[in-house]
Amino acid sequence: MTLKERLRHLDIKIVDLSQMLGISRPTLYKIIEDYDDGVREKIDTGYLALFDYLMQDDVGKNAALSFIVKNIIDIKKPQESKQQFQGAKKEFVALLQQESKLDSILPYLIDCHKILSSPAMSDRDKERLSALREMYCKLNLNLGA
């Protein structure tokens, strides 16, 4: 079942969902199309979490609307400002210099950076990034690749 079909089944109209999410109908249609086509990497993690929840068989309309209301702030929340990001980056680098707990994952992160910087990704590269994608998803972040 596609997300479009699932929304019809739940009796949730695209126009209503787009208003709840604070985005235009055409934008929502494009995001839903990407989701239905399996192009998850283009979709903000907030939308992914919502769509994945809606696709669960045991979720009804009331539960779906409740999920949207409870998570609407996180879904609509703009990305951190560049200044906040730079501060977090500096804090992380300082932590890496002081602690050794994260040393074992540094080679993996460097490898991921090389893969994300390359113009094309092989299936092996995509598989290698799966753990990083999962972590980004759990943190409600968008890897962007």
Side-chain angles (χ1 to χ4, degrees):
M1 178 180 284
T2 66
L3 180 57
K4 288 179 192 174
E5 293 167 341
R6 182 71 177 143
L7 289 171
R8 274 193 292 271
H9 177 76
L10 292 170
D11 193 29
I12 297 175
K13 294 177 175 49
I14 298 285
V15 66
D16 295 334
L17 184 58
S18 69
Q19 287 176 345
M20 286 186 262
L21 297 176
I23 58 176
S24 70
R25 264 184 320 111
T27 298
L28 182 56
Y29 274 117
K30 176 63 179 141
I31 296 169
I32 290 172
E33 181 181 314
D34 286 343
Y35 184 85
D36 285 343
D37 290 343
V39 189
R40 297 175 64 90
E41 60 273 2
K42 285 186 176 181
I43 304 171
D44 181 270
T45 55
Y47 298 133
L48 278 176
L50 170 62
F51 297 162
D52 287 345
Y53 180 78
L54 294 176
M55 291 300 289
Q56 295 178 32
D57 290 334
D58 59 343
V59 172
K61 183 176 183 176
N62 289 338
L65 294 176
S66 177
F67 182 91
I68 293 167
V69 170
K70 287 178 184 174
N71 295 285
I72 195 98
I73 294 171
D74 290 333
I75 293 170
K76 290 173 69 172
K77 179 177 63 178
Q79 296 294 325
E80 290 181 354
S81 71
K82 189 171 182 117
Q83 186 177 24
Q84 289 172 321
F85 175 76
Q86 291 300 333
K89 200 176 197 181
K90 286 178 184 177
E91 186 178 333
F92 181 71
V93 169
L95 179 66
L96 286 175
Q97 290 173 336
Q98 296 168 3
E99 296 285 333
S100 61
K101 294 176 186 172
L102 299 175
D103 286 355
S104 60
I105 66 166
L106 289 178
Y108 171 73
L109 292 175
I110 291 168
D111 190 33
C112 289
H113 173 72
K114 288 176 186 174
I115 293 169
L116 291 168
S117 299
S118 69
M121 268 189 248
S122 68
D123 289 340
R124 183 177 175 271
D125 291 340
K126 291 175 186 175
E127 178 63 31
R128 180 84 169 132
L129 291 176
S130 63
L132 186 65
R133 285 188 199 288
E134 186 176 329
M135 181 182 74
Y136 266 67
C137 188
K138 287 183 180 185
L139 293 172
N140 210 22
L141 299 170
N142 186 1
L143 185 58

